[in-house]
Amino acid sequence: MAVTGFRRRVVALTVLTATAVVAILVVVSHVLLSRVTDADAHDLARTRADVIAANVTTVGGRVVLTENSSEALDEVAWVYADGRLIDGNVPGSMVERVEALAGSGRSQTATVGHYLLYAREIPVDGHHAMVVVRVDLTPYETSEQHSLTLSLLLGGIAVLLAGGVAHLVVRRALRVVHEMVALADDWGHHQPGRRFDLGVPRDEFGELGQTLDRLLERVDNALTDERRLTDEIAHELRTPLTVLRGEAQLAQLSGEPVAPEAVLNEVDRLDAAITTLLRAARARTDTGTRCDLRSATRQAIAGRPVEVGLPAKTEVAVASDVVVSLLAPLLDNGLRHARSRVWVTARVRGGTVVVDVLDDGPGFDPAEVDRVFEAGVTGGDGYGLGLPVVRRIAASAGVEVRAIADGRGHIEMTLPAAEAVT
C-alpha cells in the first residue's frame, strides 16, 4: 500500500540520518581520543626524560648517572655523553635509531614500531649529554581500539533504536490514514453521504480527515443541488413536449393540420431552456478573461427594447460569452415582468464593476429574494430556469449575483474589473 511505502521511506530516511550522525560522532570522538592518547604518551616521555636528566651530573670530569638502580628503567631510558652510552641497555632493533637521536644534539621525538622515542639534551658543563627514553604505545592503541569498538557498538544500537522509534511513531501517526483508507474502501461507490468522522483532530492527519469531511460535504451538496436541478429541468421540459405530442396526436386523429403558432411557441420554449443550459455548461470551460462590457451587453440585448446606461470603455475580467450568458436570462426575466421599461446600468466600485438590470415591474418579495434563484421557482409563465442558471454561471465565473427587493425588478451583478487581473 502507498501508506506502507511512505512509512518505509520515513523509517529508511531516519535510519540513514541516524547512521550519518553516528558515523560523524564516531570519527570525531576517535580523532579526539587519538590526540588525547598521543598527548599522554608524549607527556609520559617528557616526565621520564626529566627524571633521568635530574640525576645526570659530573664526577671527576666524567658524566655519570646517579641513583639509578632500576633494571626496568635501563630498558626504557638511555643516557649518552660525548657520543657514548653511559647508562641503560638499548635493544638491538633500536640501536641505530637511538644513537641517531642521541647524536642529533637537539630535543625531538620519533616512532619506531609500537614505541615512542623521545630525545632530550642535558645541560652539563663541558660535555654533550643526551637522554633518550622509550614509551610503549601498545596500551594507548589498545585503548583506542576498544573505544572505537564500543563507539561502533553503541552507534549501531542507537541507529536501531532510532529506526524502531521512527517506525512506531510513524505507524501511530499514520493510524488515522489507515482508518480513512479502510473507511473509504468500505464505502464503495454509492455512499456519498458517508464521512470519516474521526472526532477531534489530534495531529495534522486528523486535521486532514476533518478537511476531507468538509470537502465531501461540499461535494455532496453540489451533487445534490445538481440532481435537484436536473430533476426539476426534466420535469419542466415535459410540459412543452407533452403539448407538442398532444397537438400531433390531435392532428392525427382529426386529420387537420397542427396549428403552427402552438408548435412554434413550444419549440421556442424548449430552445430557450436548452440554450440556458448550454450557456451554463460552456461558462465552466470558457478560457477568456477579458471583454468590453458595453459590447457584450448589446450582444445580450440583441435588438430588444432595453435601455443602456453603461460608461464607455469599461472592461471586465470575464469572457464575453459568459457576460452574455449572464445578462440574457436577466433581460428575459425583466422583459417578461416589466410594465413598460427595462434598463441596464453599471458603476465601478473598487476593483469590481457592478451591473444593475432593472425593470418597472412589481419586483421581488423581500421574503423571497433568495428563493428566486432556485430551479422551478417562477413568478410568471416561464420555466423557472433562468435565474438558477445565472447563479450557476456566476459561481463558475467568480461573479456575484443577487436580487434586491426595492419595489421594482432589480438584479445586481458584481464582476471583477479587468484592471484587477494580474
Side-chain angles (χ1 to χ4, degrees), residues 276-298:
T276 55
L277 294 175
L278 288 177
R279 284 173 178 169
R282 290 170 182 169
R284 297 180 182 180
T285 58
D286 202 298
T287 57
T289 57
R290 192 183 190 95
C291 77
D292 179 69
L293 180 60
R294 177 177 288 187
S295 175
T297 302
R298 293 193 180 281

Side-chain angles (χ1 to χ4, degrees), residues 191-261:
Q191 296 176 293
R194 293 285 296 274
R195 300 292 181 269
F196 295 113
D197 194 19
L198 300 175
V200 178
R202 297 185 298 271
D203 50 27
E204 288 81 357
F205 293 108
E207 293 177 358
L208 173 63
Q210 195 174 64
T211 301
L212 290 176
D213 278 343
R214 291 195 295 266
L215 176 62
L216 289 172
E217 185 68 26
R218 291 195 295 270
V219 172
D220 190 28
N221 291 337
L223 291 175
T224 301
D225 191 36
E226 294 295 334
R227 284 195 297 268
R228 182 172 62 251
L229 176 62
T230 302
D231 293 341
E232 292 171 348
I233 289 174
H235 176 73
E236 295 297 332
L237 292 182
R238 286 196 187 99
T239 302
L241 290 174
T242 301
V243 173
L244 289 174
R245 183 178 181 83
E247 292 289 342
Q249 289 177 339
L250 181 60
Q252 185 181 26
L253 293 174
S254 63
E256 297 180 0
V258 179
E261 295 80 6

Side-chain angles (χ1 to χ4, degrees), residues 104-381:
S104 64
R106 58 188 179 86
S107 300
Q108 60 179 315
T109 59
T111 302
V112 179
H114 295 285
Y115 296 97
L116 173 67
L117 299 179
Y118 174 64
R120 176 187 169 184
E121 185 179 7
I122 303 174
V124 179
D125 295 336
H127 298 275
H128 176 262
M130 294 286 293
V131 59
V132 181
V133 298
R134 180 183 70 176
V135 175
D136 188 359
L137 298 178
T138 301
Y140 299 99
E141 294 174 350
T142 302
S143 176
E144 291 179 12
Q145 292 176 356
H146 289 168
S147 176
L148 179 61
T149 302
L150 182 60
S151 297
L152 291 175
L153 179 61
L154 293 177
I157 295 175
V159 170
L160 292 177
L161 287 176
V165 171
H167 176 79
L168 293 176
V169 171
V170 175
R171 181 178 180 181
R172 180 179 178 84
L174 293 179
R175 183 173 58 188
V176 175
V177 178
H178 279 292
E179 294 177 4
M180 293 168 61
V181 171
L183 288 173
D185 289 339
D186 184 58
W187 292 350
H189 301 286
H190 306 289
Q191 296 176 293
R194 293 285 296 274
R195 300 292 181 269
F196 295 113
D197 194 19
L198 300 175
V200 178
R202 297 185 298 271
D203 50 27
E204 288 81 357
F205 293 108
E207 293 177 358
L208 173 63
Q210 195 174 64
T211 301
L212 290 176
D213 278 343
R214 291 195 295 266
L215 176 62
L216 289 172
E217 185 68 26
R218 291 195 295 270
V219 172
D220 190 28
N221 291 337
L223 291 175
T224 301
D225 191 36
E226 294 295 334
R227 284 195 297 268
R228 182 172 62 251
L229 176 62
T230 302
D231 293 341
E232 292 171 348
I233 289 174
H235 176 73
E236 295 297 332
L237 292 182
R238 286 196 187 99
T239 302
L241 290 174
T242 301
V243 173
L244 289 174
R245 183 178 181 83
E247 292 289 342
Q249 289 177 339
L250 181 60
Q252 185 181 26
L253 293 174
S254 63
E256 297 180 0
V258 179
E261 295 80 6
V263 174
L264 290 175
N265 185 46
E266 298 303 323
V267 170
D268 287 342
R269 289 194 174 193
L270 279 174
D271 181 68
I274 294 172
T275 299
T276 55
L277 294 175
L278 288 177
R279 284 173 178 169
R282 290 170 182 169
R284 297 180 182 180
T285 58
D286 202 298
T287 57
T289 57
R290 192 183 190 95
C291 77
D292 179 69
L293 180 60
R294 177 177 288 187
S295 175
T297 302
R298 293 193 180 281
Q299 184 179 349
I301 293 173
R304 292 177 290 185
V306 177
E307 301 174 22
V308 179
L310 302 177
K313 297 181 180 179
T314 302
E315 292 190 339
V316 294
V318 181
S320 177
D321 290 345
V322 176
V323 175
V324 173
S325 299
L326 290 169
L327 286 175
L330 298 181
L331 295 174
D332 289 339
N333 186 75
L335 290 169
R336 186 179 302 114
H337 296 92
R339 295 187 180 93
S340 61
R341 181 184 176 216
V342 177
W343 68 100
V344 181
T345 64
R347 60 190 186 277
V348 178
R349 185 174 63 193
T352 62
V353 177
V354 181
V355 177
D356 297 289
V357 179
L358 306 104
D359 64 76
D360 58 357
F364 300 102
D365 185 343
E368 300 291 329
V369 289
D370 292 327
R371 292 194 67 245
V372 297
F373 292 101
E374 296 180 5
V377 176
T378 178
D381 57 353

